[in-house]
Amino acid sequence: SQQGEEDPQALSIQEGENATMNCSYKTSINNLQWYRQNSGRGLVHLILIRSNEREKHSGRLRVTLDTSKKSSSLLITASRAADTASYFCATDTTGGGNKLTFGTGTQLKVEL
Amino acid sequence: DAGVIQSPRHEVTEMGQEVTLRCKPISGHNSLFWYRQTMMRGLELLIYFNNNVPIDDSGMPEDRFSAKMPNASFSTLKIQPSEPRDSAVYFCASSPGGRNTEAFFGQGTRLTVV
């Protein structure tokens, strides 16, 4: 079953614009993670935010977490064509024994 | 470290045949996960191991699926007999284990059952 639902399912923007993806989940979590997947490849970890954190930055990435709303957002600033990929949120649920449950993903296309 | 290594990268088999997918996790990682990815169902967790012990196999779709981890450096996912609806990309991932750790994914095995 899918713990996370991502929104939008697909996003197309111009290079240089910002991209925002949202993730909602259902149960309490230890942390929430964002991963990227290029076509035909495995997933690559981008950033982890703990349940007691509200915002985290890594380079051009900014992640927010609102545990009261059970939601998170990933912002990619100044996007590049190379950012074209699918982005997934994953939750490490409380009592889940550090297993990760992935959302449905957002397909991002950055056009030149 | 070479990362998580999966083999084969591609597998085409006939319905009814046995299929074995293999995974070598990153050395020192205590947790290992098997996922299946399809367009219809997304990324599903099939089973995961902590310290070579299966912890949660509730995602294994049917008795035709089985997974083993005989030691810390090797795991297999077996499908017997295979069916066309098993066609998917199967990913293995490992993590150091414990709280707040990330998972490292292999490149996946693309399985086609005809």
Side-chain angles (χ1 to χ4, degrees):
Chain A
S1 64
Q2 298 291 336
Q3 158 78 319
E5 294 287 333
E6 271 133 297
D7 166 52
Q9 287 189 326
L11 180 60
S12 183
I13 59 174
Q14 297 293 313
E15 197 171 51
E17 293 180 337
N18 296 342
T20 300
M21 290 158 265
N22 302 296
C23 169
S24 60
Y25 58 92
K26 298 173 185 174
T27 60
S28 62
I29 60 173
N30 294 321
N31 65 70
L32 186 144
Q33 303 180 30
W34 285 90
Y35 287 77
R36 166 193 168 129
Q37 183 181 34
N38 287 77
S39 180
R41 308 295 295 273
L43 283 77
V44 175
H45 180 263
L46 295 175
I47 195 165
L48 180 154
I49 187 165
R50 302 182 185 198
S51 60
N52 61 353
E53 296 176 315
R54 293 296 167 259
E55 187 171 314
K56 202 162 184 179
H57 298 254
S58 176
R60 292 184 297 113
L61 306 180
R62 173 179 167 251
V63 169
T64 62
L65 178 65
D66 187 335
T67 52
S68 66
K69 295 181 179 178
K70 291 188 170 57
S71 68
S72 173
S73 68
L74 171 68
L75 168 67
I76 304 174
T77 60
S79 63
R80 305 165 182 168
D83 295 329
T84 295
S86 292
Y87 292 81
F88 295 86
C89 68
T91 50
D92 176 353
T93 56
T94 306
N98 78 277
K99 75 177 183 182
L100 287 177
T101 307
F102 282 80
T104 50
T106 294
Q107 281 190 312
L108 173 65
K109 183 175 182 180
V110 182
E111 301 186 80
L112 292 170
Chain B
D1 202 314
V4 176
I5 300 173
Q6 291 186 246
S7 65
R9 289 294 310 277
H10 302 273
E11 177 83 26
V12 180
T13 191
E14 290 185 347
M15 183 174 64
Q17 296 297 306
E18 177 180 296
V19 175
T20 299
L21 310 182
R22 296 173 175 79
C23 175
K24 181 181 186 323
I26 293 173
S27 177
H29 281 192
N30 296 322
S31 297
L32 182 139
F33 309 85
W34 282 101
Y35 288 90
R36 177 173 69 176
Q37 186 176 38
T38 60
M39 288 294 292
M40 290 295 293
R41 300 175 69 88
L43 200 62
E44 302 173 279
L45 177 64
L46 300 178
I47 185 172
Y48 80 101
F49 297 82
N50 277 347
N51 297 313
N52 312 339
V53 176
I55 301 301
D56 184 349
D57 65 353
S58 59
M60 296 286 261
E62 299 170 30
D63 291 346
R64 298 183 297 106
F65 285 70
S66 63
K68 293 182 180 179
M69 192 164 185
N71 57 62
S73 58
F74 185 64
S75 177
T76 60
L77 178 67
K78 187 175 293 186
I79 308 172
Q80 166 64 16
S82 58
E83 296 183 3
R85 59 193 168 122
D86 301 331
S87 297
V89 181
Y90 291 81
F91 287 102
C92 175
S94 70
S95 81
R99 272 204 168 192
N100 300 314
T101 56
E102 65 187 84
F104 295 78
F105 279 74
Q107 292 300 301
T109 294
R110 181 173 296 276
L111 173 65
T112 304
V113 184
V114 297

